[in-house]
Amino acid sequence: MIQESTSFNLETSVNMSSALTTIVPSPIFNGTFRVYFQPESIIDLGKGCNSTVYFNCTVEDNIGDTKTGRDFHQVNDFHTTTFFARVTTGDARIVQFILPAAMVTKDPRRELILGPHLTDELRFKLNIHGVNNFSIQAMQIGYVTVFVTIFGTSSVVVAQSSPTFQNMGQGSLKVAVVPRQKVADFVFDCSAAAVAILISFAIGCVTDTENLKRQLKYPVSLVIGFCCQFLLMPVLAFGLAMILPLEKNVRFGLLCVACVPGGGLGHVAVIISNADLPLSLTMNLISTVTMLGTAPLWIFVLGQYFQQTEGSKIIPIYNFEIWLASTFFAYTAGLVINRFKPNIAEALLTWFIKPLLLLTTILYITVGVYINMYVFEAVNNWTIVAAMLLPLCGVLVGSVLSIIFKQKSNFCKTIAVETSSLNCLIVLAALRFSLNQPDANIASVIPIWVMFTIPALYVILAVFGLLKARVDTYMESRRKNQTRQYSIASGIVNQANMAALSAPLFITETVLTDDDNQSTLSEKITVL
């Protein structure tokens, strides 16, 4: 329920010019304020709701007069000093403050508009001997700190030509804005888990054990794929999380996505790109089995650097293991059905799984985007960069290692595609059902964005592949034309040479002999 901020102390509100913000030491007052909030922190403020925060101040004496024994509160300067509070937010995208109507009418710089008046900074006169309050409005989910700074001035200072303020103290209030629970959100999370399990079952149904046996003849490619998926990708994701300026929960989501390969999208890309299908199926089998141990291990070891709550490190290993085990059992069921009843497996794929996956894809593009609109509203550019770099690193790592170990072109393409394919749906479900809010929604930003970037990356690679094929075809045609022209020219020259070589020159000589005075003919043949 939305809480209305009706108890704001309008009588203590005052218009203060933004120019009066210079803080200089003051010889008149030397005390320190301690600000106490009620509540001490807000951990469940719903998005779109507002709440009223109450606070009071106590003064610590820093100048106590040891000779006279006078207490600080007995100093006359304290009673002649006017105190103000300035309330600021650490991130105006997450929370803002409701500006009271009295402030709006008194401030000539603000236009009187309909609806609530929101601002990222409040200034009002402080009631030292009473309770003060202000109201905050939740804009989007996340964590933020609200600061209350106490300023003071005296009649002597105010009388001067350039009024100044002295910082007397500051207090901070931790605020966590959580999404308001809706049935549609729960349905989406459950459907994401169901689709991930269904995809694992479908891959098991299309896996032929004979192809697996044939692929075992090429163990080098399988070792390369294993190293890329389960050794290099988690380390690269951890490096990206530490280098890029991301929120801690976003970093945790990036690590979780990199630790769970597969998901079926890489298998589809292998089929479309005419890569090696048996290698793809074998890598899916290895990843389904191996990630039961490697994913929780990496998340536990590297996830320690990304604390999920203040003062403790909560790594939901148990919940992740349950969701990974569900995909394993679904894959195993599909593999067993295809091994013993291939006709049933084919019928399930044709009449049930393919239409259902098509329907869910359409629903995800429409309803799913609407439900998770917060990932577009609160998007950070570095979050998109991380979601793009993660699958790109998979493509580069798979391609480079395959080329180094001199694998066939089809193997190189398959390893690169499968390494970049990540099971975002099961990670999304595991995060949503394992973490508290708003940690769950913040960490889920990465798997949702990676689901968009992986197909986009495959499309870009396909376009580059088509361009490369066109260029290769053009260069090949040019080489053929040049070879044909050379052949015609050389044929003409060769014909002339052959004619010259086959044309003998006959020279007849008459030789006179002394005997019998007879002449004889002698022929000499000269070949040109």
Side-chain angles (χ1 to χ4, degrees):
M1 180 179 296
I2 299 179
Q3 302 177 7
E4 298 294 340
S5 56
T6 57
S7 58
F8 194 93
N9 294 337
L10 298 180
E11 68 278 5
T12 63
S13 303
V14 66
N15 177 30
M16 297 175 60
S17 174
S18 60
L20 307 180
T21 58
T22 305
I23 301 174
V24 297
S26 173
I28 301 175
F29 189 85
N30 195 21
T32 301
F33 277 90
R34 297 295 181 185
V35 181
Y36 296 92
F37 294 96
Q38 182 62 35
E40 296 181 357
S41 62
I42 302 177
I43 60 174
D44 55 353
L45 181 60
K47 178 183 176 182
C49 302
N50 59 63
S51 178
T52 301
V53 179
Y54 299 89
F55 70 95
N56 55 15
C57 306
T58 60
V59 184
E60 291 185 357
D61 187 0
N62 293 334
I63 63 169
D65 192 345
T66 56
K67 295 182 179 180
T68 60
R70 290 189 308 167
D71 184 68
F72 173 77
H73 298 282
Q74 297 175 353
V75 179
N76 293 331
D77 293 333
F78 176 79
H79 300 285
T80 60
T81 301
T82 304
F83 299 97
F84 301 97
R86 185 177 70 178
V87 186
T88 56
T89 174
D91 192 344
R93 299 174 303 172
I94 299 178
V95 297
Q96 293 187 13
F97 308 109
I98 299 178
L99 191 66
M103 289 188 179
V104 176
T105 55
K106 290 182 180 180
D107 194 342
R109 296 172 299 171
R110 298 184 180 274
E111 297 181 0
L112 187 59
I113 58 177
L114 298 177
H117 305 281
L118 301 178
T119 180
D120 57 355
E121 180 178 338
L122 275 180
R123 300 184 185 185
F124 52 89
K125 186 176 180 181
L126 190 64
N127 184 8
I128 296 297
H129 304 289
V131 178
N132 305 273
N133 62 72
F134 60 91
S135 295
I136 59 177
Q137 176 77 31
M139 308 302 294
Q140 66 182 31
I141 63 172
Y143 291 98
V144 69
T145 302
V146 175
F147 301 96
V148 176
T149 307
I150 308 301
F151 294 95
T153 183
S154 69
S155 58
V156 178
V157 178
V158 171
Q160 297 176 356
S161 59
S162 56
T164 58
F165 291 100
Q166 179 188 8
N167 187 348
M168 300 299 179
Q170 187 180 69
S172 59
L173 176 71
K174 302 291 184 180
V175 179
V177 179
V178 301
R180 287 185 287 181
Q181 295 297 325
K182 295 180 294 185
V183 178
D185 296 332
F186 179 76
V187 173
F188 174 81
D189 297 339
C190 295
S191 63
V195 171
I197 295 173
L198 184 63
I199 291 175
S200 298
F201 178 77
I203 295 177
C205 289
V206 299
T207 302
D208 188 5
T209 55
E210 298 299 326
N211 289 332
L212 300 180
K213 293 178 182 178
R214 287 194 294 268
Q215 188 58 43
L216 293 178
K217 298 178 182 179
Y218 306 96
V220 177
S221 59
L222 298 178
V223 174
I224 294 173
F226 176 86
C227 294
C228 291
Q229 289 182 315
F230 299 103
L231 298 180
L232 296 179
M233 285 299 290
V235 175
L236 290 174
F238 180 76
L240 290 175
M242 298 302 292
I243 293 173
L244 298 178
L246 303 173
E247 201 269 348
K248 60 181 182 179
N249 289 294
V250 177
R251 293 175 176 177
F252 184 75
L254 183 67
L255 175 65
C256 294
V257 171
C259 294
V260 185
L265 189 58
H267 181 70
V268 175
V270 167
I271 296 175
I272 296 175
S273 60
N274 295 322
D276 192 86
L277 190 58
L279 177 58
S280 174
L281 294 174
T282 309
M283 290 184 65
N284 274 281
L285 173 61
I286 294 175
S287 64
T288 303
V289 177
T290 307
M291 68 182 179
L292 291 175
T294 57
L297 178 62
W298 280 117
I299 293 173
F300 177 77
V301 173
L302 300 181
Q304 300 289 332
Y305 293 89
F306 314 125
Q307 296 185 11
Q308 298 304 301
T309 58
E310 200 72 29
S312 64
K313 299 177 180 180
I314 299 177
I315 310 299
I317 302 299
Y318 178 74
N319 292 333
F320 265 87
E321 191 69 27
I322 292 177
W323 291 106
L324 296 178
S326 64
T327 60
F328 169 76
F329 288 120
Y331 178 86
T332 304
L335 185 64
V336 171
I337 293 175
N338 187 38
R339 177 67 179 84
F340 297 101
K341 297 292 182 180
N343 294 332
I344 296 178
E346 185 177 357
L348 288 174
L349 286 171
T350 305
W351 300 104
F352 177 69
I353 297 178
K354 290 182 179 179
L356 185 60
L357 290 179
L358 178 61
L359 178 61
T360 53
T361 302
I362 297 174
L363 290 177
Y364 269 42
I365 296 175
T366 55
V367 180
V369 171
Y370 173 75
I371 293 175
N372 297 278
M373 189 59 68
Y374 75 95
V375 301
F376 302 99
E377 298 173 350
V379 64
N380 187 343
N381 293 333
W382 289 112
T383 302
I384 301 178
V385 170
M388 294 175 61
L389 289 179
L390 185 62
L392 182 60
C393 288
V395 172
L396 294 177
V397 168
S399 302
V400 170
L401 284 184
S402 301
I403 294 173
I404 290 176
F405 289 94
K406 299 179 180 180
Q407 298 297 298
K408 297 188 298 184
S409 60
N410 278 349
F411 283 6
C412 294
K413 188 185 301 184
T414 302
I415 293 174
V417 169
E418 287 292 343
T419 304
S420 63
S421 177
L422 302 167
N423 199 340
C424 299
L425 285 176
I426 199 65
V427 174
L428 178 64
L431 291 174
R432 291 284 181 86
F433 287 103
S434 302
L435 302 179
N436 297 323
Q437 294 292 356
D439 296 333
N441 275 27
I442 298 175
S444 301
V445 171
I446 282 291
I448 293 176
W449 273 106
V450 171
M451 280 193 290
F452 291 109
T453 56
I454 290 179
L457 177 62
Y458 290 163
V459 171
I460 293 174
L461 294 177
V463 171
F464 276 111
L466 291 176
L467 293 177
K468 182 178 180 298
R470 292 291 181 87
V471 172
D472 292 341
T473 303
Y474 174 74
M475 298 302 295
E476 184 67 24
S477 63
R478 285 197 61 183
R479 284 195 295 267
K480 289 182 179 179
N481 290 334
Q482 291 176 356
T483 304
R484 182 170 176 270
Q485 293 172 2
Y486 175 77
S487 300
I488 294 174
S490 61
I492 294 174
V493 174
N494 289 336
Q495 289 295 332
N497 290 337
M498 290 174 62
L501 291 173
S502 62
L505 177 62
F506 294 92
I507 301 176
T508 303
E509 295 182 354
T510 301
V511 180
L512 298 176
T513 61
D514 295 336
D515 301 332
D516 302 330
N517 293 325
Q518 295 180 352
S519 63
T520 60
L521 296 176
S522 176
E523 295 181 355
K524 293 182 179 180
I525 302 175
T526 302
V527 180
L528 298 179

